[in-house]
Amino acid sequence: MYRGTTLSLPFKTTICIADFRKLQQRSVVVLQGTVLNSWKVVWVVLADDAIEFYKKKTDNSPKGMIPLKGATLTSPCQDFTKRTLVFKVSTAKNQGHFFQATHLEERELWVKDIKRAITCLQGGKKFARKSTRRSIRLPENVNLSELYVLMKDQDKGVQELKVEKDKRLFNHCFTGNTVIDWLISEGKARNRPEGLMLATGLLNEGFLLPAGDVSKDGAEKGAECVFLDQTEALYYFADSGFFCEGYSSDEDVIMKEEFRGAIVKQGCLLKQGHRRKNWKVRKFILRDDPAYIHYYDPTKGEDNPLGSIHLRGSVVTAVECVPDAKRHEVDGNLFEIITSDEIHYYLQAATADERKDWIKAIQSVSKTGK
């Protein structure tokens, strides 16, 4: 993810969202060099025993790598007063590499998997994502995706709450024992051990995520996540509007009117500029009520968005090409947002599935949000 084998100085980086259910995680990152101290976008892969980084996502060979054997991880890292969501990987040779995530949930997923990779290597093994079904002996007839949908039902599912803890307010979350209670009451588990097995499967597959120190400790103890059947352990749905506000050494939440909507989706996309028509990586946050999508420079945090798109009444469609764009500059997975004021925005996702998910989410918000 940061240091090439021919370089001697550490790097600092910013992570953008990835698919964390793959054997090898790959995502866009912003990389800060040590000479010019500038931040650049690169592609990153978490392999079985190292973090690799690439100049482009189409490159076959990594530009550099960070070995994880004997490494340690610090999160949160508070070495930077003006940067939040930073964590640090220190190699066995005591070389520090700094990472900055684009949002809290993303950082926690990276921290969890890097810690698990380091733990496996300490035991003489290489890190690889095992099948959750095999590792916890999950029955073949259990469909975790369908179970997740039932859990999210607003009337009959697990109810999301506001929980005040340690001078912080956790929004859209629930306790570990509430999940087990629900699984038993709905006949999905016969007893608490069975319920714990199902909840652990949901946690390992990324449907549920830990919120707060207690649940995070359980999720990061070993090679597999551990779900806690406790009232002190907080969790949230992966695609919910979860956020934490109040005092935190690692984040400051400033709410404005157009930022009050629940977060529906967030991640990094390529965006075409309106003036120079060049393409740059931007972090996008989609909110549902009011219906806005804000975009940011991923190297500079979320205090000041570069712009916003009011989505009420907008149209979003997949496109095969973009006017004024050279073929070699951008190709594939393109889509267009046309606002009610007839302003056109051209974006590119990393994969076809990602483009499909963004289009679906934006279409839903544009119809239902204010």
Side-chain angles (χ1 to χ4, degrees), residues 115-116 119 214 216-226 228:
K115 280 189 175 181
R116 289 166 63 187
T119 300
V214 175
K216 289 176 184 176
D217 287 344
E220 297 170 1
K221 280 183 177 179
E224 293 294 336
C225 295
V226 177
L228 302 178

Side-chain angles (χ1 to χ4, degrees), residues 65-294:
M65 56 85 73
I66 301 172
L68 292 177
K69 186 175 182 179
T72 58
L73 189 145
T74 304
S75 177
C77 174
Q78 299 176 11
D79 290 17
F80 306 93
T81 56
K82 295 184 178 180
R83 290 192 177 275
T84 61
L85 304 174
V86 175
F87 63 94
K88 177 182 179 181
V89 176
S90 300
T91 67
K93 295 183 178 180
N94 202 29
Q95 294 170 322
H97 307 275
F98 297 87
F99 303 74
Q100 183 184 16
T102 58
H103 56 280
L104 180 62
E105 295 85 349
E106 182 188 4
R107 184 196 65 184
E108 299 309 319
L109 286 170
W110 274 97
V111 167
K112 180 185 70 175
D113 276 355
I114 292 174
K115 280 189 175 181
R116 289 166 63 187
I118 293 173
T119 300
C120 287
L121 291 170
Q122 288 174 343
K125 301 178 181 179
K126 288 186 176 182
F127 169 72
R129 280 196 170 276
K130 299 178 182 179
S131 166
T132 297
R133 194 170 294 277
R134 290 198 301 268
S135 63
I136 63 174
R137 298 180 182 179
L138 197 65
E140 291 296 331
N141 62 342
V142 173
N143 188 316
L144 292 177
S145 297
E146 291 181 0
L147 183 59
Y148 179 67
V149 172
L150 294 174
M151 292 180 70
K152 289 197 64 184
D153 186 277
Q154 293 185 354
D155 297 323
K156 298 181 180 180
V158 176
Q159 298 302 303
E160 296 175 294
L161 306 170
K162 288 185 178 181
V163 179
E164 188 173 356
K165 184 177 178 61
D166 299 330
K167 297 182 180 180
R168 289 181 290 175
L169 183 63
F170 296 86
N171 296 267
H172 300 284
C173 69
F174 39 83
T175 64
N177 69 311
T178 299
V179 173
I180 308 302
D181 290 342
W182 182 88
L183 290 169
I184 295 174
S185 66
E186 293 296 316
K188 306 302 178 184
R190 292 174 295 179
N191 48 49
R192 301 197 84 79
E194 278 193 6
L196 195 59
M197 178 185 66
L198 290 174
T200 298
L202 290 164
L203 184 65
N204 274 283
E205 289 299 305
F207 292 109
L208 303 182
L209 296 174
D213 296 336
V214 175
S215 56
K216 289 176 184 176
D217 287 344
E220 297 170 1
K221 280 183 177 179
E224 293 294 336
C225 295
V226 177
F227 190 91
L228 302 178
D229 181 9
Q230 300 176 12
T231 57
E232 296 296 313
L234 302 178
Y235 299 89
Y236 61 95
F237 295 124
D239 55 355
S240 73
F242 170 81
F243 66 95
C244 174
E245 56 185 329
Y247 171 76
S248 172
S249 60
D250 200 42
E251 62 174 329
D252 293 313
V253 180
I254 303 174
M255 299 297 291
K256 299 180 180 178
E257 185 60 33
E258 66 182 48
F259 294 89
R260 289 190 176 277
I263 295 176
V264 176
K265 188 173 178 60
Q266 55 187 321
C268 286
L269 299 165
L270 276 172
K271 175 184 176 296
Q272 185 190 52
H274 278 97
R275 294 182 180 179
R276 297 183 180 179
K277 305 299 181 182
N278 56 346
W279 292 80
K280 293 185 178 181
V281 173
R282 297 294 182 229
K283 178 192 173 181
F284 286 82
I285 297 180
L286 175 64
R287 293 179 172 86
D288 64 354
D289 191 9
Y292 274 90
I293 186 168
H294 297 86

